[in-house]
Amino acid sequence: GCARSSRRRRNDSASSPDVVLLGLSGDLEAELEFAHRVASRHARTSWVVVAEAPDLPEARRLFDTLPAEWMSSPPAPDRLRPLIDAARLRRRTEPLSERRTRDALATRFARWFGDLEQPELLRALDPHLARVPLLVRGEPGTGLGLLARYVHAFGGTTGGSFVAVSCPELRSADDLAREIERVATRRPPPACLTVCLEDVDRLAPFLGAELRAWVELAPPVAVGHATWLRWIGTAADGPPGRDAGNASSLAEVLAGITVRLPALRERLGLLPRLVDDAT
């Protein structure tokens, strides 16, 4: 098989390619490993995959989470070039609605958190750490959800989809799977997906162990339509042991990076800005 990007790359630490053209042949093990490694590091890269026509169904099954355009081999140049150009444009172009949303989010974030120094927040925003789970702790009303959405928008998952799930309302892991799948199966499929588990400390204890396995290993295949998932949890702040049983275990595995937000009573200067937000 062959694999090449629309820009030449010397190593995996180089900047993200616009498009990867992947040719398939043989047992596909090398191509699968390449796609797994590159897609996990470059979530916004577009893919064009070429395979022999009889092999296309099996290739689609094996590369099931890869957001790709598919072509029969040998590709006709007059079809391949427009396909690559279109894929590059999708990768680079951000719709006006998304730009407005990001600008509004950045403005609100600056009002709420511009006075705080949060070294761990800088780590959470590092694109190279975008696969590390994040736990945001703080009292209700301190902006937990706002910070989670900001990390999604500016921390390496730009252009992906965001789904917030209220843990106290979850009755089964299937409920979470259906909610993730609803977003992940949109067309075109998102290159990446951020799942924010809100109030993870209030999750039903019997669900904690199963969801921990999702975070540590992988979610069920049914929800694996995006190239990869980013996990964020929010929880009330408090001393160790506040969470109960398996819910505490899930919070621990989400705490690859932990950002703690101070209580509003410790930030009285923020109150006028909150009033502005509410009026």
Side-chain angles (χ1 to χ4, degrees), residues 4-78:
R4 65 187 180 191
S5 69
S6 63
R7 304 174 187 168
R8 296 195 176 192
R9 301 290 180 231
R10 293 184 178 225
N11 53 56
D12 289 333
S13 64
S15 57
S16 178
D18 291 337
V19 185
V20 171
L21 173 61
L22 182 64
L24 303 182
S25 66
D27 63 5
L28 305 185
E29 183 58 37
E31 290 89 342
L32 283 164
E33 180 58 29
F34 172 81
H36 172 70
R37 178 167 47 86
V38 174
S40 66
R41 297 183 182 185
H42 305 293
R44 300 196 66 197
T45 292
S46 297
W47 293 74
V48 177
V49 182
V50 180
E52 297 286 346
D55 298 333
L56 280 173
E58 178 65 5
R60 288 177 183 270
R61 184 187 72 82
L62 291 173
F63 293 82
D64 55 352
T65 66
L66 194 67
E69 298 287 348
W70 295 82
M71 292 190 69
S72 297
S73 177
D78 60 338

Side-chain angles (χ1 to χ4, degrees), residues 187-202:
R187 290 293 180 264
C192 51
L193 180 66
T194 297
V195 178
C196 181
L197 301 175
E198 298 179 330
D199 299 318
V200 70
D201 52 325
R202 296 173 56 199

Side-chain angles (χ1 to χ4, degrees), residues 12-256:
D12 289 333
S13 64
S15 57
S16 178
D18 291 337
V19 185
V20 171
L21 173 61
L22 182 64
L24 303 182
S25 66
D27 63 5
L28 305 185
E29 183 58 37
E31 290 89 342
L32 283 164
E33 180 58 29
F34 172 81
H36 172 70
R37 178 167 47 86
V38 174
S40 66
R41 297 183 182 185
H42 305 293
R44 300 196 66 197
T45 292
S46 297
W47 293 74
V48 177
V49 182
V50 180
E52 297 286 346
D55 298 333
L56 280 173
E58 178 65 5
R60 288 177 183 270
R61 184 187 72 82
L62 291 173
F63 293 82
D64 55 352
T65 66
L66 194 67
E69 298 287 348
W70 295 82
M71 292 190 69
S72 297
S73 177
D78 60 338
R79 289 193 57 221
L80 182 59
R81 183 73 260 174
L83 202 61
I84 291 176
D85 290 341
R88 182 186 293 115
L89 184 62
R90 281 196 303 275
R91 195 266 191 186
R92 287 179 171 176
T93 304
E94 185 179 50
L96 286 176
S97 58
E98 291 186 16
R99 296 176 191 223
R100 287 194 296 267
T101 298
R102 279 163 50 84
D103 287 348
L105 181 60
T107 299
R108 191 167 182 226
F109 182 88
R111 284 203 300 268
W112 274 64
F113 302 116
D115 61 324
L116 294 181
E117 293 185 8
Q118 288 277 3
E120 287 302 290
L121 176 57
L122 295 179
R123 294 188 66 225
L125 291 169
D126 184 344
H128 295 95
L129 300 178
R131 294 179 66 84
V132 178
L134 167 66
L135 183 65
V136 186
R137 283 196 176 273
E139 294 183 357
T142 53
L144 305 179
L146 172 60
L147 190 143
R149 288 182 179 275
Y150 185 85
V151 169
H152 164 74
F154 296 96
T157 42
T158 303
S161 295
F162 182 94
V163 55
V165 179
S166 173
C167 286
E169 297 176 8
L170 282 180
R171 296 295 175 262
S172 71
D174 288 341
D175 289 345
L176 177 58
R178 282 191 293 269
E179 184 62 19
I180 297 175
E181 188 172 17
R182 179 184 65 81
V183 178
T185 54
R186 290 173 180 168
R187 290 293 180 264
C192 51
L193 180 66
T194 297
V195 178
C196 181
L197 301 175
E198 298 179 330
D199 299 318
V200 70
D201 52 325
R202 296 173 56 199
L203 180 73
F206 70 91
L207 288 174
E210 185 170 358
L211 298 192
R212 175 172 181 147
W214 287 20
V215 177
E216 286 188 309
L217 303 175
V221 174
V223 301
H225 298 280
T227 300
W228 53 277
L229 299 182
R230 178 174 199 166
W231 295 97
I232 299 178
T234 69
D237 204 3
R242 178 186 178 98
D243 304 322
N246 287 326
S248 176
S249 176
L250 176 58
E252 289 172 1
V253 78
L254 286 169

